Amino acid sequence: MPIHHSSSAYPSLRNITIEDFQLSSTGLTEEQRAQALAQLHEYLSIQKANFLGYQVNQQLDYEDDLKPYLNYHVNNVGDPFIDGNLTIHSKWMERAVLDYYARVWNARLPHNPADGESYWGYVVSMGCTEGNLYGLWNARDYLAGKLLLEEHTAEEEARVASFGGHPRSLLRRLIYKQALPLDGQPHAYTPVVFYSEDTHYSIIKAGIVLGLHTFYQIGQHYYPNENPLAPGQPWSKEVPSTQGSTGPGSIDIPSLVKLVEFFAAKGYPILICFNYGTTFKGAYDDVEAAGKALMPIFQRYGLHERKVYYDPSDPNQFDLRTGYWFHVDGALGAAYMPFVEMAYNAEKIAQRGPNFDFRLPFVHSIAMSGHKWIGAPCPCGIYMTKTKYQLRPPDNPEYIGSPDTTFAGSRNGLSAMILWDYLAKTSYEGEIEKALYTEKMAEYAVQKLKELEQHLGESLWVERTPLSLTIRFKQANPNIIFKYSLSSETLFVNGQKRAYNHIFIMAHVTTQLIDQLITDLRQPGAFPSQPTVAKPPEIAPTRHPKHLAHFPHLGRGFH
């Protein structure tokens, strides 16, 4: 007997009959499936044609090349540089993609396990969120003095010897070893996390999952009256961004320097998450300027290089590590801005973004999304670090024949194929032209929104951070938000609450699509009135730091 479920508990969707998609114990007939899939195609086609609100490139061209592989399970389980026993994989394509971005990001290649300065990375199966989570995981263990060792048991050694086996046949397990405490430095292995108020929520979420504490949590609990930005006042939840909510949105370096020095002076290792293309304002943190401002502090307090000891009987055995970690969340910018730099060097554009990549000696890791600038039919991305910073999860399964050095077990081999296919069809010059096109479209969108302001005779709060692909403006009505898939965020500007939308100028956006949006925004009722609401005062919390997580549930885009 078919089992039917009421859809009343779930959201309704415009142009979709939810009941047509309900499944039963007998499945659907061919006619029912065709009817449902026709609705799906029509819905997605309409939404794709009007898509403006998020940093996802809808200009895709994979069907001819990759359609046959939808009937293969391609699994890149394990380390991308070791093929392993699961032979239906695309790791050689993954390595080609990684080499490409190692060149673009000025890393040393090829990957060489014996060369700590060479790059290591992998194609993530989620978006940049996975890259951020993995980067913070590595950073946490690196700064906390964790060491990953291979060992085998005496029983295993005896078993192999009894069969005349070679020592290399021993089954090994990976174990974590904790560094010895440092005299007079109780905080030496307690990382403190710093990120700006424009940081994507995946960083905050990753910190909660990993049990990391931010400067706000530690400062408010242990040093409540010592806030270096405002002595005697509650600590800021995040590092301020430049010019507040209406400015470019990059991390405020003077504020960052004051906060970092406070904790560095007390012996805490420093973990900083930089943004290279924030999700709402499209701002680029100046990683190079921040690093140059912070290095004297790290040198002053012994964090630029420190000896980490593990064996109390041998003081000459130690691991040399930095006492800081710089992670760059480059979800969109890390894929786009290298080609803006190339255009700038060729005198095709008047400005470029700040340096962010491995040419800077203080950068430890970079994460990027593949479905944004490149455009992919599924979320994917890249995580990259240097071999000397690579820390593996605590397992080394013989089962798959490859060290499980990535975040997930199974990894989507199709993602590597998609990225490879795009890059195989695209030259550097093609990427430069694409960057120049989107810059031109962004300027056009700003011009049209400013003209609309004049036509309506009111401010629409139109803002664009230089070189960003996003333009924000006063929030439109729900029908327009749905039609164009507009992202929304509430900001406090000059102490007053404002609701914004933004659009992202990706490769599929045309002047016709922008003009269509402007036409809709000209209509009566396009911009609902917004009540005047003042920002509530900061209240100093008194709870234990593990309960002080600041998690923005709304806004800040997506990865």
Side-chain angles (χ1 to χ4, degrees):
M1 177 121 181
I3 301 174
H4 296 286
H5 298 283
S6 169
S7 62
S8 60
Y10 303 125
S12 60
L13 193 59
R14 219 170 297 181
N15 304 324
I16 289 288
T17 305
I18 297 295
E19 288 73 20
D20 289 348
F21 290 83
Q22 292 299 308
L23 300 171
S24 73
S25 59
T26 59
L28 300 179
T29 66
E30 263 192 60
E31 182 181 0
Q32 289 171 326
R33 270 196 317 114
Q35 181 177 334
L37 291 173
Q39 284 188 60
L40 171 67
H41 185 267
E42 182 179 10
Y43 171 79
L44 292 179
S45 297
I46 292 172
Q47 296 306 115
K48 176 181 177 180
N50 298 325
F51 193 83
L52 270 173
Y54 290 86
Q55 57 273 47
V56 175
N57 181 5
Q58 296 287 355
Q59 192 178 69
L60 309 184
D61 181 25
Y62 300 107
E63 186 174 1
D64 291 343
D65 290 346
L66 300 180
K67 181 179 179 180
Y69 304 104
L70 291 179
N71 285 331
Y72 292 80
H73 176 79
V74 185
N75 196 321
N76 285 11
V77 62
D79 191 283
F81 297 95
I82 300 176
D83 287 348
N85 299 330
L86 201 165
T87 58
I88 303 180
H89 64 75
S90 63
K91 288 186 178 182
W92 69 95
M93 301 171 86
E94 180 178 14
R95 293 190 285 266
V97 170
L98 293 170
D99 279 355
Y100 179 97
Y101 280 102
R103 285 190 293 271
V104 169
W105 293 339
N106 295 286
R108 182 183 295 180
L109 71 160
H111 165 67
N112 178 1
D115 180 3
E117 291 294 330
S118 70
Y119 89 88
W120 180 86
Y122 73 101
V123 172
V124 302
S125 292
M126 292 189 276
C128 199
T129 292
E130 180 181 340
N132 289 337
L133 178 59
Y134 197 71
L136 266 63
W137 182 6
N138 272 251
R140 181 197 68 178
D141 290 354
Y142 180 87
L143 296 176
K146 301 286 187 182
L147 179 67
L148 203 58
L149 298 175
E150 288 185 342
E151 71 166 20
H152 56 269
T153 64
E155 291 81 3
E156 174 63 16
E157 187 173 345
R159 185 189 66 81
V160 171
S162 68
F163 286 97
H166 191 276
R168 283 181 296 186
S169 302
L170 291 170
L171 288 176
R172 295 168 295 177
R173 63 174 181 169
L174 297 177
I175 61 167
Y176 274 122
K177 190 170 184 179
Q178 177 60 49
L180 298 173
L182 299 179
D183 292 340
Q185 299 184 50
H187 311 306
Y189 300 119
T190 305
V192 182
V193 183
F194 301 80
Y195 50 82
S196 82
E197 61 187 0
D198 282 274
T199 295
H200 185 258
Y201 66 80
S202 67
I203 295 292
I204 297 95
K205 184 163 60 173
I208 295 170
V209 170
L210 295 168
L212 286 163
H213 287 157
T214 69
F215 74 89
Y216 161 71
Q217 294 169 295
I218 295 176
Q220 194 61 54
H221 183 74
Y222 293 108
Y223 316 104
N225 298 313
E226 301 178 51
N227 176 6
L229 300 184
Q233 299 298 312
W235 287 70
S236 301
K237 293 183 175 69
E238 299 147 323
V239 180
S241 296
T242 53
Q243 298 180 41
S245 298
T246 59
S250 58
I251 196 166
D252 184 67
I253 293 176
S255 297
L256 177 65
V257 168
K258 289 180 181 179
L259 290 166
V260 166
E261 180 153 28
F262 178 89
F263 288 95
K266 297 183 183 301
Y268 290 93
I270 306 299
L271 199 175
I272 306 177
C273 300
F274 291 103
N275 300 297
Y276 208 67
T278 59
T279 50
F280 201 79
K281 298 175 187 172
Y284 307 100
D285 289 347
D286 194 336
V287 182
E288 182 172 23
K292 289 179 177 178
L294 291 170
M295 283 310 297
I297 295 173
F298 297 149
Q299 291 168 351
R300 189 179 309 134
Y301 298 108
L303 295 177
H304 68 297
E305 190 175 80
R306 59 181 186 166
K307 295 177 180 178
V308 180
Y309 297 90
Y310 296 93
D311 187 350
S313 65
D314 189 353
N316 295 317
Q317 293 294 321
F318 56 84
D319 192 7
L320 203 59
R321 299 186 179 187
T322 62
Y324 67 92
W325 185 289
F326 286 5
H327 174 73
V328 179
D329 177 357
L332 173 61
Y336 157 66
M337 291 300 281
F339 301 103
V340 173
E341 180 181 348
M342 293 180 194
Y344 174 82
N345 292 338
E347 300 183 344
K348 295 183 177 181
I349 195 170
Q351 62 182 135
R352 50 155 294 193
N355 291 330
F356 73 95
D357 57 28
F358 293 109
R359 81 187 83 179
L360 304 177
F362 34 72
V363 168
H364 292 70
S365 55
I366 300 172
M368 183 199 88
S369 290
H371 51 283
K372 291 184 170 63
W373 176 255
I374 288 176
C378 56
C380 58
I382 290 172
Y383 171 78
M384 190 171 289
T385 185
K386 293 183 179 180
T387 299
K388 65 181 180 180
Y389 299 133
Q390 182 188 0
L391 292 175
R392 295 174 291 182
D395 56 12
N396 189 4
E398 182 187 31
Y399 178 70
I400 62 173
S402 173
D404 193 9
T405 52
T406 64
F407 178 71
S410 292
R411 292 190 297 114
N412 182 3
L414 185 61
S415 294
M417 297 165 67
I418 288 166
L419 297 179
W420 181 91
D421 190 62
Y422 174 87
L423 297 172
K425 294 186 288 193
T426 310
S427 65
Y428 279 8
E429 190 57 38
E431 291 292 86
I432 291 170
E433 292 305 314
K434 179 177 166 184
L436 293 173
Y437 173 81
T438 52
E439 174 68 16
K440 180 181 177 182
M441 285 297 104
E443 292 173 351
Y444 180 82
V446 170
Q447 174 193 334
K448 290 299 179 181
L449 284 165
K450 292 288 189 181
E451 291 175 2
L452 179 61
E453 280 187 325
Q454 294 179 353
H455 172 77
L456 297 176
E458 65 171 300
S459 174
L460 299 179
W461 314 328
V462 179
E463 296 280 351
R464 182 198 176 206
T465 299
L467 287 178
S468 74
L469 300 183
T470 179
I471 301 101
R472 56 193 182 276
F473 52 90
K474 188 176 182 180
Q475 189 176 85
N477 68 43
N479 288 331
I480 293 174
I481 289 174
F482 177 83
K483 179 176 180 179
Y484 296 98
S485 299
L486 299 183
S487 174
S488 301
E489 181 156 344
T490 299
L491 304 174
F492 283 93
V493 180
N494 299 324
Q496 296 296 320
K497 183 178 179 181
R498 287 182 176 180
Y500 285 86
N501 288 139
H502 72 174
I503 58 174
F504 259 97
I505 307 300
M506 305 305 291
H508 68 276
V509 177
T510 63
T511 55
Q512 290 81 4
L513 181 54
I514 294 169
D515 290 344
Q516 178 182 304
L517 171 67
I518 297 298
T519 297
D520 286 344
L521 293 177
R522 281 177 177 263
Q523 304 307 310
F527 295 101
S529 61
Q530 297 189 21
T532 300
V533 179
K535 185 176 183 178
E538 292 280 356
I539 299 175
T542 57
R543 294 170 290 173
H544 190 274
K546 72 179 180 179
H547 299 304
L548 293 180
H550 172 61
F551 189 89
H553 290 278
L554 301 175
R556 296 201 183 173
F558 80 116
H559 275 358

